[in-house]
Amino acid sequence: MIILRVLAGLVVAVVLAVVALLVAARFADGPLGPVAGGPFAYESLRQGPEPDWNDIRDRDTVEFQLLDPPRSRTTWILVHGGRIYIPCGYMDTDWGRLWKQWPIEAERDGRALLRVDDAVYPRQLQRISSGPLLEPLIAELNRKYQVGATVAAVTSGSLWLFELAPGSQAASVDGAGSG
């Protein structure tokens, strides 16, 4: 009986710790590793010409935040032709669609912020599900992350790809940020 009480206490403690982490993350300035976080705290958005995104070609992850709902997350990043993209897999499974709501939210309202090295850029997420960009993007995804992705995964809806196109600063930050 004592062993069962100790085990039950440990399970309750772990569950409470996970719940506390998830709640705390919603108020954090950005994601906490793989856990979605709150909106970015920033003073101003990066202005001027687009940076040379090739400089982050081999960076594993970046942070981005949707404006509606205002939650941030860590994601992989792809660079091709001087433009930036993010992939999202497992979208053809119930588990993937339950766990990953951001791609569905991004299709509905693609306004977003991208944070790279403390610089925040307004973006517009635009889903790419067909066309000539698929092959080079899949090649880059496989080169960088060695995942074995295919064009068929994109066209079947299993893998979603989004371009992080430059966004209108006025439209993108309406009500966003806390600086």
Side-chain angles (χ1 to χ4, degrees), residues 3 13 37 53 60 66-67 76 99 102 110 115 121 123 132-133 141 157-158 163 174:
I3 293 175
W53 294 117
D60 284 338
L66 294 178
L67 296 189
W76 288 353
W99 181 47
W102 75 260
R115 184 161 60 184
Y121 303 88
R123 300 282 106 183
L133 278 174
L141 181 63
S158 175
E163 179 177 1
D174 182 31

Side-chain angles (χ1 to χ4, degrees), residues 48 56 81 166:
I56 65 168

Side-chain angles (χ1 to χ4, degrees), residues 92-109:
D92 61 342
T93 65
D94 291 337
W95 174 80
R97 284 183 169 261
L98 177 66
W99 181 47
K100 297 182 177 187
Q101 290 295 303
W102 75 260
I104 297 162
E105 295 162 351
E107 268 200 316
R108 199 170 36 243
D109 181 354

